[in-house]
Amino acid sequence: MSAGHTAVTTPVPGEPVIVCETPQDECGVRDVLDRLGDKWSVYVVVELASGIRRFKELQRAIPGDISQRMLTLTVRRLERDGLVKRTVYPTVPPQVEYELTEMGHSLTHLVKALADWSIAHRPAIAASHAAWDAAHTEPTTTA
């Protein structure tokens, strides 16, 4: 988070969870959430947590059939953020490997915690979806 971040607080009704120096200061949270909230970044981080991967290995391992262009953009962004290290070997054709940096590895426990939370709450979320859908679906009429 940015230098403007002053504290992460225990949630209190009516008060923000993250306190910044000024209301306009986003404390760097938006940048991190934008990166980790995109469709592919978490998959890349999870896969690289297992070790070094070549580009095609990484592409095959990510569920959802990520395109070569989208994977290239995703790893470049993660590299720019300091989460992924890219190593190019001078071979023909060039061999490229990706791995998490120390900072990238420090993120994996948070991703695991989010995944664990998601799994634990999946039934409750599904039940909530069903209840909301039932309450907000207009009945169909037959003519």
Side-chain angles (χ1 to χ4, degrees):
M1 292 204 204
S2 72
H5 179 261
T6 58
V8 176
T9 63
T10 302
V12 175
E15 292 185 20
V17 173
I18 298 171
V19 180
C20 300
E21 291 178 3
T22 67
Q24 296 78 25
D25 183 13
E26 296 177 15
C27 304
V29 172
R30 179 170 293 198
D31 293 337
V32 172
L33 292 178
D34 284 348
R35 178 70 54 245
L36 298 179
D38 75 35
K39 184 173 182 178
W40 302 110
S41 291
V42 171
Y43 285 124
V44 170
V45 169
V46 167
E47 185 55 33
L48 291 178
S50 301
I52 297 170
R53 297 287 183 266
R54 292 177 65 180
F55 187 87
K56 285 295 184 182
E57 290 175 317
L58 190 55
Q59 187 177 22
R60 283 189 296 268
I62 295 173
D65 199 28
I66 187 171
S67 70
Q68 181 173 333
R69 174 168 165 65
M70 186 51 63
L71 181 55
T72 298
L73 290 173
T74 301
V75 293
R76 279 184 187 164
R77 290 174 184 148
L78 291 169
E79 183 181 12
R80 182 173 182 253
D81 289 342
L83 301 173
V84 168
K85 177 185 172 193
R86 178 178 183 259
T87 303
V88 180
Y89 296 96
T91 59
V92 177
Q95 180 180 333
V96 181
E97 293 180 338
Y98 298 91
E99 64 184 305
L100 290 180
T101 62
E102 185 177 331
M103 185 167 55
H105 276 291
S106 73
L107 179 65
T108 60
H109 76 280
L110 298 172
V111 171
K112 183 178 181 335
L114 182 59
D116 291 345
W117 180 92
S118 177
I119 291 166
H121 292 88
R122 180 182 288 161
I125 292 169
S128 180
H129 285 182
W132 191 92
D133 291 347
H136 293 88
T137 301
E138 295 184 24
T140 57
T141 58
T142 57

